Amino acid sequence: MNILKKAINPRLYFSLLYLHGYWVSTSCLLVLEGFCTNGLIEFVKFHFVGEKILSLHYQNQEVLEESLDLKVQYSEMSKNLYADIEPYNTGFLKVSEIHTLYYEESGNPSGHPVVFIHGGPGGGTSPSNRKFFDPDFYRIILFDQRGAGKSTPHACLVENTTWNLIEDIEKLREHLEIPEWQVFGGSWGSTLALAYSQSHPDKVMGMVLRGIFLSRQKEIDWFYEGGAATIFPDAWEPFRDLIPESERGCFVKAYHKRLNSDDKETQYAASRAWTIWEMMTAHLIPNEVALQRGDDDEFCLAFARIENHYFMNKGFFPSDSFLLDNIEKIKHINTVIVQGRYDVCCPMTSAWDLHKVWPEADFIVVPNAGHSANEPGTSEQLVAATNKLKYVVKEK
């Protein structure tokens, strides 16, 4: 029993990596882990050579709840989305002569600050984004990036680059008088979270990244130049057919022309087609609620124009491998990476490439999910990740 007490302690337990349904450590040669049932704890013993599991052994041992306090630990490691909440503060922050950002705060005003970085770019935030975080523990900050959501001017591409957005995040942090914070981002949000943390590594206490997108040309080509069409040909054809055959050598360029047309109806038609293509491919099982976003012309215009603008410019990064090349700057940050196995929008190869250069980060592959954060398996792991990082904070 004494050996078990020493093997399982809160610091070790919450530095574990999720793998095949269990939390295991890649930094230890031997880890004991389990779950409490009727006063018994079933332990799984992992033998490691490097990161390879050589054997699994199960055994039952009597355990005293007061000695390990597992009941409390597991209740706090809930994977359920939190209840809907309303912001206690909303506002607009002028970040340039042109742009003003919408932001909001919810949860605990005195809690641990976390900033949610939305995808797209151009996707904006929604009330459901607050539900990944324990509102009793976190001070939850959401904001709409330049031109997106409630930020103004709507769908504006002027002075709208990755480096502008990084400056905006810093301005928001300073405006809210937050010394440092936790960062949460998925899809394009993972791109911007990586870029921001690499620019300001001393301001980031932890990260949760989902649906990794590194803004490389091969990723853009996969989704917009026919790769993903092999899986979703029915969704691809309406996207393809808006463009004349003579312009199909580069769909991103062809759509850029139409999304920046002087004719508003041409812009709307292109933005609807662009948005519906992504909404139809973002879930493992098609989601009707997501598809309805393609009926909102104002949402589609911002989403498609800004996204296309960034992809035409390769994310405004100086090189294709920029984010991977700068991982050393952020290896000290406690990070959880969550990736849907069947993500068609941001295929797992990007998350895998990130994992290979950053093995210190927890890497969780959801076996039954595509791209969306709202798929059950993915949302569960995102909540578990934010709950896991709570313990990192509590132990400091």
Side-chain angles (χ1 to χ4, degrees):
M1 191 62 205
N2 289 332
I3 294 174
L4 296 180
K5 289 181 182 179
K6 291 178 181 178
I8 301 183
N9 61 74
R11 181 172 295 280
L12 174 62
Y13 181 85
F14 291 108
S15 67
L16 302 180
L17 167 69
Y18 188 84
L19 182 65
H20 297 303
Y22 301 96
W23 289 93
V24 299
S25 172
T26 57
S27 62
C28 299
L29 291 177
L30 174 65
V31 177
L32 297 176
E33 144 68 343
F35 53 90
C36 194
T37 308
N38 297 325
L40 295 177
I41 187 162
E42 183 175 9
F43 285 96
V44 184
K45 185 165 60 178
F46 292 86
H47 289 284
F48 278 89
V49 172
E51 295 183 4
K52 294 183 179 179
I53 299 175
L54 296 184
S55 60
L56 302 176
H57 303 282
Y58 295 82
Q59 67 185 65
N60 289 330
Q61 298 285 342
E62 259 189 41
V63 67
L64 300 176
E65 283 186 8
E66 57 268 28
S67 65
L68 296 182
D69 202 21
L70 285 175
K71 186 174 182 180
V72 174
Q73 291 176 5
Y74 272 88
S75 69
E76 292 184 351
M77 285 291 287
S78 170
K79 295 182 180 180
N80 296 323
L81 288 167
Y82 289 94
D84 291 315
I85 54 173
E86 293 300 317
Y88 62 79
N89 179 41
T90 63
F92 289 89
L93 177 64
K94 190 170 181 61
V95 291
S96 76
E97 291 299 315
I98 297 172
H99 291 277
T100 300
L101 305 187
Y102 167 80
Y103 69 89
E104 63 172 59
E105 297 180 88
S106 58
N108 182 349
S110 301
H112 183 67
V114 59
V115 60
F116 180 96
I117 301 181
H118 68 69
T125 57
S126 66
S128 63
N129 299 150
R130 307 167 194 147
K131 298 172 70 173
F132 295 112
F133 311 98
D134 179 351
D136 293 327
F137 181 82
Y138 283 107
R139 177 184 175 187
I140 306 160
I141 297 113
L142 273 59
F143 76 99
D144 292 331
Q145 296 159 33
R146 294 191 180 201
K150 298 176 184 177
S151 293
T152 60
H154 182 72
C156 178
L157 306 183
V158 179
E159 294 182 9
N160 198 337
T161 72
T162 302
W163 308 106
N164 294 135
L165 301 187
I166 290 171
E167 291 175 0
D168 293 348
I169 297 171
E170 269 299 275
K171 289 175 182 176
L172 179 61
R173 184 188 62 77
E174 292 169 355
H175 175 72
L176 297 175
E177 300 181 344
I178 296 172
E180 54 183 355
W181 51 9
Q182 190 171 306
V183 175
F184 182 111
S187 193
W188 162 257
S190 74
T191 320
L192 186 53
L194 287 167
Y196 169 73
S197 63
Q198 290 174 7
S199 297
H200 301 280
D202 58 324
K203 305 304 181 188
V204 180
M205 291 183 284
M207 284 197 290
V208 176
L209 306 174
R210 188 267 313 164
I212 302 301
F213 176 64
L214 301 174
S215 201
R216 297 176 293 182
Q217 189 62 51
K218 67 179 182 180
E219 296 169 90
I220 297 168
D221 289 346
W222 157 263
F223 193 66
Y224 293 106
E225 304 300 339
T230 60
I231 300 172
F232 286 93
D234 49 340
W236 170 257
E237 290 188 2
F239 175 83
R240 178 199 66 191
D241 292 348
L242 187 77
I243 305 301
E245 288 189 18
S246 60
E247 295 182 57
R248 291 180 186 175
C250 179
F251 283 94
V252 173
K253 183 177 179 180
Y255 268 89
H256 184 264
K257 174 182 173 181
R258 287 156 180 80
L259 291 167
N260 292 278
S261 169
D262 293 333
D263 178 56
K264 204 68 174 177
E265 286 307 312
T266 299
Q267 287 189 26
Y268 281 134
S271 66
R272 283 192 293 269
W274 180 282
T275 303
I276 290 171
W277 162 239
E278 184 158 338
M279 296 302 137
M280 289 187 72
T281 55
H283 293 76
L284 185 62
I285 306 298
N287 184 286
E288 290 300 321
V289 175
L291 291 177
Q292 290 172 9
R293 305 202 79 175
D295 298 329
D296 183 342
D297 280 347
E298 292 308 305
F299 169 80
C300 291
L301 191 65
F303 183 75
R305 271 173 57 84
I306 297 172
E307 199 169 64
N308 175 273
H309 167 66
Y310 275 72
F311 298 164
M312 276 288 292
N313 291 282
K314 301 179 183 179
F316 297 94
F317 294 112
S319 68
D320 216 36
S321 59
F322 180 82
L323 294 174
L324 294 178
D325 292 342
N326 286 277
I327 287 298
E328 285 293 333
K329 296 178 181 179
I330 58 173
K331 280 193 171 183
H332 65 284
I333 299 173
N334 287 300
T335 299
V336 181
I337 300 166
V338 177
Q339 178 69 36
R341 168 70 70 178
Y342 301 107
D343 189 335
V344 173
C345 300
C346 298
M348 185 177 149
T349 183
S350 296
W352 187 249
D353 289 345
L354 181 60
H355 167 63
K356 286 192 294 183
V357 299
W358 196 5
E360 297 85 356
D362 291 359
F363 182 47
I364 300 169
V365 177
V366 184
N368 58 344
H371 181 66
S372 174
N374 299 316
E375 293 179 276
T378 300
S379 65
E380 288 176 2
Q381 293 303 335
L382 292 172
V383 172
T386 62
N387 282 337
K388 180 202 169 194
L389 290 182
K390 288 194 311 187
Y391 292 94
V392 175
V393 175
K394 287 178 178 180
E395 288 193 349
K396 289 183 177 180

